Structure formats: C-alpha cells, structure tokens
Amino acid sequence: IIGIISVVGSISLIQSYKNNYPVDRVLDQLLVIVVMFIGYDLLFKKYGYKKLFSIYLKVSYFICLLGILQFLVFIFLKIDILKYPIGSSYKALPMLKYGIPRIRSVAYEPGWLAQTLVPAVIYSLEVLKISRKLQKKYLVIIFVFFMTMSTGALISIPLYFILVKFKNRKEIMSSIFTVIILGWLTKDAWINKVIDTLSSLKKLQTGVFHDINASSFAILSNLYVALNNKNLFFGVGLGNHPYSYFRNFIDKKIGVYHFYGLNAMDAYSLLTRIISELGIVWTLLFIISLIMNINLKNNIKSIINIGAFLGIFSFLIRGGLYTKFGTTFILLLFYYTRKQRQRSREVQNNTLDSI
C-alpha cells in the first residue's frame, strides 16, 4: 500500500507542478489516503475480515433502523427527525411521488447510504435465500436500500444476479423476472437520468449539453473535463480535478449552465475522478486488479467479496471519493476476501449465518 501510494503521489506532484496547480491539494489527499488505508489495513490484519464485516453489518442495521424511523415519522407527521445528516448543517429530505420520502437516515444523501449498504444487501439476500427464513435485520437492510431509490446503487442488483444466480435455466428465468419487476418499481429513480445521459453522450466532443437533468449534466460535464485535460495518460494529479474543471470547462454562454460546477469537487463518479486525476494508465490497472480478484467460489468469503465488488462498482458510477462513506473499508474488504492464489484450501464448513 505504501509503495503504490508513493508512486501515485510522486506522479501526482509532478503533474501538479507541470500544470501549475497548487501542490497542497495533492499533499492533503495523500495524507488522508495514507491514514485511512494503512489504518484499515492494520485493522483487517489484527481482527480479520469476518470480525470487521460483522461490525459493519451491525452498524448498517442500526443506521437502517434510524432510516425507517425517519421514514415513518415523516409519513405520519411530516417531520424529518434527521434533518442534520453527517456532513451538512441542514439537508432537505428528497421526495418521491405522493409525499413519500427517500430514506437517507444519517447519510448526507440517499445515494451515499445505498452505496455503503451494497455489501450488506448482497449478504442479506444470500442469507435469506439459504436459510429460507424472514429474518428481521436482513429484511430491514434490504427495505432501506431499495427505499433510497439510488440509481448508482440499485444497478448492483442486476449484476449480483448475473454473477451469482445465473447457473441454470430455472434460475436464469426467475432472476430475469425479478430484475424486470425491480426495474419497473424503481423506474422513477433512474429512467430519465439514463435516457438523458445516453442521448447526450455524443456531445462529449463539444462539451455542450442542452436541456438535461442535473445528474446527467454532472456525469457528462465531469467526464468531458476528464477526457479533455491534455493529461490523459497520467492525469492532473490527486485532488486536482476541481482545478481542471474550472480551467477546461469555462464557456458559460452555451448549454444549460445553471448546473455549472455541479460535483466539480468529486467528479460525480469515482471512475471519472480516477481518469481525471490518475489517468487511463492507473484506471486500467485498477480495473484489471478488480477483475482478477473477484472470488466466485461458493462460500462465505465469496459472497462478501462479490458484495464488496458491487459496492466498488457502484462507487465507480456515482461517488468520486477515495475515503468517505465506506469507500476505503469496502476496497480493502474486497482485497481481503479475494480468491486465494495459494494451493492451500480454505475450510468450507463456515455457514453464512455464522457472522
């Protein structure tokens, strides 16, 4: 970890100096990344992934209970009991149709809560499937996850069925049916964003995005900056995406620019931010590393690994933060549950409910 961070940091300082960006932003990012990754690595080495995942499940369940309490109080009394979430002095509760709120709990927004819950949701689905019992804590986690209505997190569910469920014709048909039903139930959260984003992809060459929603604008404008900063191979340096945004995306006279600057600090998605700050070289290395370390064996370690992988995938779509909202924990959880390269076999008598 220290070796990788040292190489990335050195390249970032060079790129920052070359582009005349202040180096304090790079140093700030490096300090936080070193503390978070080394700290979590030491915890994983001392306690193991099972103990830490058990704690993570308990915390997730407690936060979900707070979310359900928030949901019920708002439905009946129209009062948000958690209107001061983590990271904000005040944040209005996002709403669906008919006065139904999206669950946010203590998170800054529903999307962050949903993405942090992805490994817990995948694990909960597997426990319910194997035990065939309606266990309260797992149902609570799954319910809150879907009531966040987060597009970036909900897309992990179809991928979960593809990675885990598609083993025979019966499971394929039942999984496709389930995905279609879930897609229809959550269409209000994603369909307009997806249509706007796909229809505007061709405008990435010009950087002019007319009449699209805020999320699509944030996705495309930040991706435009990442692909047009003249530092495509090694990026502009850790933490420098905001400087690159306001330098390379400055024409406010064309397009729908009342969204100008939206998510400029975090690039909207982790994938876009890595492309922008570290370049396509490190982006490809990161993606290759993810693919090589997916654990598809039929055991407890594999399920946690797949959940962590899908959590990382959701961060790549929405959430350009290296350390906040569980990103560091989920990245190292994926690493510590990767498939074994040694010949020694792992003991197979662990049950899912042992956690």
Side-chain angles (χ1 to χ4, degrees):
I1 292 177
I2 292 174
I4 292 173
I5 294 175
S6 298
V7 174
V8 170
S10 300
I11 295 175
S12 293
L13 289 171
I14 293 171
Q15 293 297 96
S16 185
Y17 176 79
K18 186 176 75 174
N19 288 283
N20 198 29
Y21 294 140
V23 298
D24 57 343
R25 177 80 175 164
V26 177
L27 296 175
D28 173 67
Q29 293 291 295
L30 281 173
L31 177 62
V32 175
I33 287 172
V34 167
V35 170
M36 291 293 288
F37 275 88
I38 297 300
Y40 267 118
D41 187 57
L42 291 174
L43 287 174
F44 272 102
K45 283 184 168 67
K46 183 174 182 179
Y47 297 106
Y49 73 88
K50 290 183 183 179
K51 177 66 174 178
L52 293 187
F53 190 76
S54 175
I55 295 171
Y56 157 75
L57 277 179
K58 292 175 183 177
V59 173
S60 298
Y61 176 55
F62 175 72
I63 291 174
C64 287
L65 287 177
L66 290 178
I68 290 178
L69 180 62
Q70 174 193 40
F71 178 80
L72 293 175
V73 171
F74 191 89
I75 287 290
F76 291 107
L77 302 177
K78 301 302 178 185
I79 298 173
D80 182 7
I81 62 172
L82 298 170
K83 61 182 179 180
Y84 299 104
I86 295 171
S88 176
S89 55
Y90 171 78
K91 185 79 171 178
L93 191 61
M95 302 296 294
L96 299 169
K97 293 180 179 179
Y98 313 113
I100 299 175
R102 295 170 62 190
I103 293 182
R104 182 190 63 208
S105 189
V106 296
Y108 178 73
E109 59 182 56
W112 292 122
L113 173 62
Q115 290 174 295
T116 305
L117 289 177
V118 169
V121 170
I122 300 303
Y123 182 82
S124 298
L125 289 170
E126 283 297 309
V127 170
L128 293 177
K129 170 201 162 188
I130 292 175
S131 66
R132 297 185 179 182
K133 296 179 181 178
L134 298 179
Q135 300 179 59
K136 182 181 70 173
K137 67 177 180 180
Y138 301 124
L139 291 173
V140 165
I141 290 172
I142 293 170
F143 172 76
V144 169
F145 174 77
F146 280 102
M147 284 306 298
T148 63
M149 289 294 175
S150 169
T151 309
L154 289 174
I155 200 172
S156 64
I157 301 303
L159 289 176
Y160 155 71
F161 283 110
I162 292 172
L163 290 173
V164 178
K165 297 297 183 183
F166 288 2
K167 295 177 182 178
N168 57 55
R169 184 178 299 177
K170 182 179 177 181
E171 288 188 345
I172 289 174
M173 296 305 297
S174 63
S175 296
I176 291 175
F177 177 76
T178 303
V179 169
I180 291 173
I181 294 297
L182 291 175
W184 182 80
L185 291 173
T186 60
K187 65 181 185 300
D188 290 340
W190 60 267
I191 192 164
N192 289 332
K193 297 177 185 178
V194 171
I195 291 173
D196 274 359
T197 303
L198 292 177
S199 63
S200 300
L201 274 175
K202 59 185 178 182
K203 299 176 183 178
L204 273 176
Q205 293 180 337
T206 63
V208 182
F209 310 107
H210 289 285
D211 302 321
I212 58 176
N213 64 76
S215 294
S216 298
F217 180 86
I219 293 170
L220 295 171
S221 60
N222 283 285
L223 186 56
Y224 171 82
V225 171
L227 297 175
N228 291 275
N229 58 29
K230 298 180 181 179
N231 295 270
L232 197 55
F233 282 101
F234 292 106
V236 295
L238 277 172
N240 283 334
H241 177 79
Y243 298 123
S244 178
Y245 185 102
F246 292 110
R247 176 185 291 182
N248 298 305
F249 193 53
I250 58 177
D251 191 351
K252 302 179 185 180
K253 298 178 182 178
I254 52 178
V256 188
Y257 284 97
H258 52 276
F259 295 137
Y260 182 79
L262 190 62
N263 288 100
M265 292 301 294
D266 63 6
Y268 191 83
S269 86
L270 186 58
L271 180 61
T272 299
R273 188 170 181 183
I274 293 174
I275 293 172
S276 178
E277 296 185 354
L278 304 180
I280 58 172
V281 173
W282 283 101
T283 303
L284 290 175
L285 289 174
F286 180 68
I287 292 173
I288 291 170
S289 176
L290 288 179
I291 295 172
M292 290 180 62
N293 287 289
I294 297 176
N295 186 348
L296 296 177
K297 295 180 179 179
N298 189 24
N299 55 32
I300 181 177
K301 195 174 187 180
S302 170
I303 295 304
I304 297 175
N305 176 269
I306 292 171
F309 170 77
L310 295 174
I312 296 168
F313 184 85
S314 71
F315 282 124
L316 291 174
I317 296 173
R318 171 69 174 93
L321 299 169
Y322 299 124
T323 55
K324 287 186 178 181
F325 303 109
T327 312
T328 310
F329 170 75
I330 292 174
L331 280 166
L332 285 178
L333 181 66
F334 176 74
Y335 173 80
Y336 274 95
T337 55
R338 71 198 189 282
K339 58 187 176 184
Q340 292 291 326
R341 301 189 182 280
Q342 295 84 4
R343 292 187 178 181
S344 59
R345 294 185 177 180
E346 188 178 7
V347 178
Q348 298 293 320
N349 59 358
N350 294 319
T351 61
L352 282 168
D353 230 5
S354 64
I355 288 187

